[in-house]
Amino acid sequence: MHNSLMTSAQFPDELPAEDPQAIADALQRPLHDLRISVLDQCNFRCPYCMPEAEFHSDYAFLKRQQRLTYDEIVRVATAACKLGVSKIRLTGGEPLLDKNIAVLVERLAKLPGVDDLALTTNGVLLSAAAEKLAKAGLHRVTVSLDSVDEKVFRAMSGGRGDLAQVFAGIAAAEDAGLGPVKINVVVQKGVNDHTIIDLLRHFRGSGTIVRLIEFMDVGNRNGWRMNQVVPSRELLTKIQQQWPLRPVGRNYPGEVARRYEYVDGAGEIGFISSVTEPFCGDCSRARLSADGMLYTCLFANQGTDLRKSLRNGAVDDELQGILSSIWLQRADRYSELRSPELAEHHVLQKVEMYRMGG
Ligand code: SF4
């Protein structure tokens, strides 16, 4: 069995056809996904995203009026759908801190062209919200969960989370029909890599899909070092020794995870390897921050202020024109060009991940 991750060239997928209407960027990548950060606040303090020391209780998060209204978010999403977006993901900070988010979900679910409406959460507020979100039209959820070891989980959530609440949230999402739930696990050497097998054992046979994510140099505050990255192929080898796996195709072009299934039928896992196996080649994602900045890469250091245009009376055609011109000029491929040395010194002053919703 290969121990390197099968690249798309080696594993032809029966992929659904690209949307011919979708506009393509300067590298011929169609606009397909829009990630919308509905607010910048979070109830966790994960050290690789929102370290407690910096994001203390007096930290000035965006005020209500600085954040886009639902009307404004729906206008941007409508324009983006006309340009090819068919997948929308709601993120944060922690999106479920917005008690009315089901109202936004309902409006986005009705947009023509949206065939995949998902939400990413840390899960502790999910058991109370799952039913309402499903009724509002949400299709599925992804839960960020870095370990099932109580001590490691607390260390990686900034001592804020409660593992039992996350498990209850996952179960509630499955019961509400928001599954198969995906679990995003950021793997950090010397932090949680020793607990990955236990996490996989916990979810094997449950239908829940685990995605193992290489630790990335997002933003400027997580102290990223190349030697803290566990290359996915190393992890694949370790897991294969426990449970044989075989590769499976992607669900659609631009899907970031390399998917595998347990040979014994216990389900699917995936690897998201932005550091050692970058996938910029068919990256089809745009990101909208809670204050209306549009970013064309997770590692962007600048964006376009759509809030200004929205609040200066831009009509829908103008908004669509702005989005279109941003995407047509897009040539981002940070992960392919990443220099670990530069990344370790945060030379680029990138936009923080919590601001653009991961
Ligand atoms: S680094 Fe940027 S361009 Fe590359 S896959 Fe990530 S978001 Fe897309």
Side-chain angles (χ1 to χ4, degrees):
M1 172 64 70
H2 289 287
N3 280 339
S4 65
L5 295 178
M6 304 279 276
T7 63
S8 54
Q10 292 167 302
F11 209 86
D13 309 325
E14 303 308 316
L15 297 170
E18 294 282 3
D19 169 358
Q21 306 309 316
I23 58 169
D25 70 10
L27 305 178
Q28 297 319 307
R29 300 168 294 185
L31 175 56
H32 181 267
D33 305 41
L34 179 63
R35 299 174 71 99
I36 301 174
S37 169
V38 291
L39 82 175
D40 58 344
Q41 293 164 41
C42 187
N43 48 0
F44 277 16
R45 288 292 179 274
C46 306
Y48 58 76
C49 176
M50 222 184 237
E52 183 83 46
E54 310 231 11
F55 298 89
H56 41 68
S57 49
D58 305 332
Y59 185 81
F61 287 102
L62 292 171
K63 296 191 176 45
R64 184 71 210 83
Q65 64 277 18
Q66 293 173 300
R67 297 205 305 263
L68 293 187
T69 64
Y70 289 171
D71 286 347
E72 291 168 333
I73 291 174
V74 170
R75 284 191 63 201
V76 174
T78 305
C81 288
K82 289 188 178 142
L83 295 169
V85 162
S86 59
K87 176 180 173 184
I88 291 180
R89 178 176 291 279
L90 295 173
T91 66
E94 170 48 46
L96 298 185
L97 284 173
D98 178 344
K99 294 286 170 262
N100 304 314
I101 197 165
V103 175
L104 177 62
V105 166
E106 192 162 358
R107 296 182 61 183
L108 294 172
K110 291 194 181 105
L111 286 183
V114 174
D115 57 26
D116 185 3
L117 182 56
L119 178 142
T120 300
T121 170
N122 59 34
V124 288
L125 302 171
L126 188 52
S127 45
E131 198 66 39
K132 215 165 152 198
L133 292 169
K135 282 210 178 76
L138 190 70
H139 298 151
R140 56 196 184 84
V141 291
T142 296
V143 173
S144 305
L145 174 62
D146 297 324
S147 185
V148 294
D149 175 295
E150 185 78 46
K151 216 159 123 280
V152 175
F153 169 77
R154 290 194 67 76
M156 293 189 80
S157 63
R160 301 277 185 105
D162 177 313
L163 207 43
Q165 284 178 328
V166 178
F167 290 149
I170 294 166
E174 293 282 2
D175 294 349
L178 295 172
V181 171
K182 289 192 178 141
I183 304 289
N184 276 356
V185 184
V186 175
V187 183
Q188 256 183 290
K189 195 173 280 182
V191 178
N192 65 335
D193 55 328
H194 62 293
T195 69
I196 298 303
I197 295 294
D198 290 342
L199 183 142
L200 292 174
R201 185 175 290 111
H202 179 91
F203 289 109
R204 265 172 51 81
S206 69
T208 301
I209 298 171
V210 174
R211 296 268 189 258
L212 302 167
I213 304 173
E214 288 180 344
F215 177 43
M216 291 181 275
D217 52 320
V218 288
N220 316 289
R221 305 172 180 195
N222 66 6
W224 184 87
R225 291 280 175 278
M226 189 63 195
N227 62 14
Q228 294 168 307
V229 175
V230 179
S232 292
R233 63 181 163 278
E234 219 177 275
L235 209 44
L236 174 64
T237 306
K238 191 174 162 195
I239 299 166
Q240 293 270 34
Q241 285 153 5
Q242 195 82 26
W243 305 286
L245 290 163
R246 64 171 158 250
V248 288
R250 294 182 297 168
N251 292 310
Y252 61 87
E255 182 175 29
V256 292
R258 287 280 167 258
R259 301 167 62 214
Y260 286 76
E261 61 186 10
Y262 295 108
V263 169
D264 65 4
E268 178 189 330
I269 69 171
F271 298 87
I272 298 177
S273 320
S274 160
V275 179
T276 62
E277 314 243 358
F279 38 76
C280 303
D282 50 21
C283 174
S284 56
R285 290 169 292 283
R287 293 169 164 88
L288 180 67
S289 70
D291 57 355
M293 295 295 290
L294 192 88
Y295 300 107
T296 54
C297 177
L298 177 59
F299 301 91
N301 56 2
Q302 59 181 3
T304 304
D305 186 349
L306 297 183
R307 184 184 63 189
K308 200 163 60 186
S309 307
L310 286 160
R311 295 187 180 176
N312 286 350
V315 296
D316 292 348
D317 287 354
E318 281 174 298
L319 195 57
Q320 197 172 324
I322 296 167
L323 274 177
S324 174
S325 68
I326 295 166
W327 193 260
L328 290 170
Q329 295 162 46
R330 177 193 186 230
D332 301 277
R333 40 198 289 260
Y334 174 88
S335 288
E336 285 175 355
L337 304 172
R338 176 188 282 109
S339 114
E341 297 68 38
L342 280 182
E344 289 184 359
H345 297 93
H346 299 296
V347 175
L348 273 181
Q349 283 308 307
K350 291 166 273 174
V351 175
E352 293 299 335
M353 179 171 77
Y354 78 93
R355 297 225 32 236
M356 59 165 92

